[in-house]
Amino acid sequence: MKVLILGGFLGSGKTTLLLQLARYLVDSSGSGSAYKVVILENEVGREGIDDKLLRGNGFNVENLFNGCACCTLAGELVSAAYEIEKQYTPDWLIVETTGLAYPGLIQDNLAAGIGMESRVCTVVDVSRWKRLLNAMRELFVGQIERADVVLMNKADLVSEDVLRTVEKDIAEMNPNAARIATSAVGHVEEHVWDMVMGVTDND
């Protein structure tokens, strides 16, 4: 089982992008697994909105409620990932984090708890980047510094100058991450998902 941790602040477009990614993984999988993709939702609160959307689109969704998977729910996350691998044997487990989570800590918990390696993809909202960065720089750095790929989402809503500024800021936080402009409301090209999943490099 391969694992992707999908992070990003509230309203960045994670779930909309996740639907496209999950469809792509299911369509491109050549395995006979009945559960090609399992999505593990980490919600703060008792009811998840995103999981209803995902289930409505035919995906298998497990939930973690009332906390963050990088801190208060760390043990539950590790147990859930272990049980998902044992019960469903999917090709991919995608962990969609809360908007306040640090994906790198979740990655550490999975590695330390059950030796599970993972990739990190962080989604940022370029249309609100400057305003949110000024208010929550530490959180943004924490969400980006361990990412393999950063999707600069809502690129259709900003100018090229704004997009370049956001890309420069991200590069300063994590020079090794691939930085890709996306628009969740449009079609994301397959090669972008291949980079997110680590199939191809950012060449």
Side-chain angles (χ1 to χ4, degrees), residues 8-14 97-100 125 128 132 139 143 154:
F9 190 65
L10 298 163
S12 61
K14 291 194 303 292
T97 71
T98 72
L100 301 175
D125 177 356
R128 297 185 297 159
L132 293 175
L139 174 64
Q143 291 185 342
K154 305 187 184 180

Side-chain angles (χ1 to χ4, degrees), residues 15 19 41 43 46-59 61 63 65 96:
T15 303
L19 281 170
E41 283 277 311
E43 297 278 358
R46 280 193 267 181
E47 256 190 79
I49 296 171
D50 292 346
D51 67 300
K52 292 189 175 100
L53 175 64
L54 293 164
R55 280 199 184 95
N57 279 269
F59 295 107
V61 181
N63 293 94
F65 286 122
E96 184 182 8

